Amino acid sequence: MGALIYSLVSVFQSAPGYMDAEYYTATGVQLASGNGFREPFIWNYLNNPQGLPAPSHLYWMPLASIMAALGGLIGGINFIWMRVLFILTAALLVPAAVAISRRWVSEKRFTWLAGVCAAFSGVYWIYLTLPETFGLYMLTGAALIGLVGGVEWLRIGKFKSFVLGISIGILTGLMHLTRADGILWLAGGLIWIAVVLVFDQRRLEKSKILRIVIILTAVVGGYFLIMGAWYLRNINLFGTLMPPGNSRVLWLTDYNQTYNLTLTQLTYENWTHSGAGVILLSRWEALKLNLANFLVGQGGIVFLPLTAAGIWKLRKDNRIRFMLFMWLLTFLTMTIVFPFAGARGGYFHSSAAFQLYFWALAAVGLEIITTWGAQKRGWNSRQAFAVFGSGLAVIAVIISVYFFYSRVIGKNPNQPVWNQSERAYQKVDGVLNNLGISDDEVAVVNNPPGFYLATGRPSIVVPNGGIENLLAAARRYDAGYLILEQAQANLQDLYASPGDQPGLDYLTSIDGIHIFRILMYE
């Protein structure tokens, strides 16, 4: 069922559609073409790139790009083959959700709700078949919750505990290689295992200490089996384990500062000087948006009460406790530590790690309701399951189709709104060819990964600030022309009244996109 449904979903998306998926696809093209971890565009300046092509995956992690590249190597470097492994991953979510729910329901028929939720996955339905991190995070997160929370660590032998520790480390490494916040799962797993072992009083103290050392060492060792080579790459590039520029996002006071060309503002001192009001307001806004994502994206609106009932029934199960611990750690990190990234999709991406358990627990909640009705209200258990189960299945389908139709297909099925950005950039490419602008000349544009994927042209992102910052970026990276779109909030005056400016020569417009020649190089 999963393979059939997600294969059909993929038919309606012939392009990545938004910058995250475009980035993973574009860098997957680079890998499959033999160009390595290099990218012919710059979408932020946090690590002060020296030129084009620039080192890739300094902000986002590389596993989704590697999967896209593997698909390209299997069948060809085109969007169909580069997403084939993601379609397979999405298909696997359905039996995975069913398998998790079977641990806790007494009658297997209730597991069908978990399968339906995974097959018609609400907001996630739009993204699971694209080169993205959602499906990867769902599978690895569920596996890690099952291993960390499902093992009674002091009741197994030393060798088995070592093997399980290595396995947990490998999973945390895969999660970190998928998303930067995956390192939270290494920290959370180590803390959880250590606490469980320390407070378990069934063994002698010396034995307990030795077991803690063995398991935690194995976890860290497994993690570095996956992440070690990536850290070596960072050390070779920067002399540090992590790209140094990424820590600057801690000190944002406005999301658009992510695109600052000069980085002197992104410091702790400037952050504190912005005032408590600015700092608290940004976290309040992130809290509201992340809660909305929790209710709609994770909870699926009507399924959240069922999930909550399942959590309450299984509240003493260590898997559920570990899941709740990691959910709280993730939520707080994406609300308090990284409020701008979290509210702009970071939490929605990160919370995918819990989604298979949420769907499985919804099946547990359905069994709780029907059992209560049979015992307290005299319901026929099978009839109640048929009514509630089919009703919930229909709701899951309606929610998924609604989000998919509105965001992907739109008003004109012949020209899906999902491909609008690609179509626009391809039209711009035709105009650039007519203007005699070389394919090798660097553009300044709102969405460099999408622009490169649609046109094959190198590009840098429009920096935060006014025209002077735009011209400074052009001088630094030898960019020759500007593609100005309506979404460029920091240049709205120029967009509203396109014309010649000092350093800019207005050329033409197409479908609401303005093209300027950049003149100032000295």
Side-chain angles (χ1 to χ4, degrees), residues 118-381:
F120 296 93
S121 48
V123 181
Y124 288 111
W125 220 43
I126 299 169
Y127 306 106
L128 283 171
T129 64
L130 300 171
E132 251 280 16
T133 62
F134 290 106
L136 285 168
Y137 230 47
M138 287 180 186
L139 288 178
T140 52
L144 195 57
I145 291 169
L147 274 183
V148 174
V151 174
E152 295 195 38
W153 292 97
L154 287 175
R155 292 187 175 182
I156 60 176
K158 293 179 182 178
F159 178 75
K160 188 174 182 180
S161 64
F162 179 80
V163 172
L164 286 171
I166 288 284
S167 301
I168 288 169
I170 289 171
L171 283 171
T172 59
L174 289 172
M175 293 190 78
H176 193 184
L177 203 64
T178 302
R179 285 187 52 78
D181 54 84
I183 198 169
L184 290 176
W185 288 83
L186 174 65
L190 290 172
I191 292 169
W192 183 267
I193 294 169
V195 168
V196 167
L197 289 168
V198 166
F199 286 96
D200 193 312
Q201 302 298 319
R202 288 191 291 258
R203 295 291 178 91
L204 296 175
E205 198 67 28
K206 288 183 179 180
S207 175
K208 187 185 295 185
I209 292 172
L210 178 60
R211 184 61 58 87
I212 292 173
V213 171
I214 290 174
I215 294 171
L216 298 189
T217 301
V219 171
V220 174
Y223 170 80
F224 276 101
L225 283 176
I226 301 297
M227 283 298 298
W230 195 250
Y231 282 131
L232 288 174
R233 184 243 190 182
N234 288 340
I235 291 171
N236 183 55
L237 286 174
F238 304 107
T240 56
L241 288 176
M242 303 284 191
N246 290 358
S247 61
R248 294 187 174 103
V249 299
L250 290 168
W251 317 125
L252 298 179
T253 58
D254 177 270
Y255 176 76
N256 289 331
Q257 289 180 336
T258 305
Y259 306 102
N260 276 14
L261 180 65
T262 56
L263 306 173
T264 53
Q265 283 185 311
L266 305 183
T267 63
Y268 172 75
E269 290 75 22
N270 281 339
W271 181 73
T272 54
H273 289 160
S274 68
V278 171
I279 293 170
L280 293 175
L281 180 61
S282 63
R283 279 136 185 90
W284 170 245
E285 294 298 324
L287 175 64
K288 292 190 293 184
L289 288 169
N290 289 343
L291 283 174
N293 272 323
F294 170 71
L295 292 172
V296 178
Q298 273 193 284
I301 309 172
V302 297
F303 294 93
L304 189 58
L306 296 177
T307 299
I311 289 172
W312 180 253
K313 178 183 178 181
L314 300 168
R315 61 191 181 277
K316 294 183 179 180
D317 190 307
N318 272 344
R319 286 165 292 194
I320 303 304
R321 290 178 172 179
F322 178 62
M323 181 194 77
L324 293 175
F325 167 67
M326 288 305 305
W327 178 85
L328 183 62
L329 180 61
T330 300
F331 187 86
L332 292 177
T333 300
M334 289 297 170
T335 302
I336 297 173
V337 183
F338 301 107
F340 298 106
R344 293 275 184 140
Y347 170 73
F348 182 57
H349 280 77
S350 301
S351 63
F354 313 99
Q355 201 58 46
L356 281 171
Y357 271 77
F358 272 52
W359 290 328
L361 289 164
V364 177
L366 179 60
E367 185 177 50
I368 292 170
I369 290 174
T370 55
T371 301
W372 175 86
Q375 292 174 351
K376 302 295 184 180
R377 300 292 182 181
W379 295 351
N380 180 298
S381 178

Side-chain angles (χ1 to χ4, degrees), residues 63-110:
L63 188 54
S65 299
I66 293 170
M67 280 185 61
L70 287 174
L73 291 173
I74 291 170
I77 305 176
N78 57 67
F79 189 59
I80 295 174
W81 276 101
M82 295 187 76
R83 63 194 300 199
V84 67
L85 295 181
F86 297 92
I87 297 170
L88 176 61
T89 301
L92 290 173
L93 298 175
V94 181
V98 170
I100 295 169
S101 66
R102 281 188 176 178
R103 299 172 177 174
W104 293 310
V105 297
S106 57
E107 296 185 59
K108 288 196 290 187
R109 68 175 184 267
F110 289 99

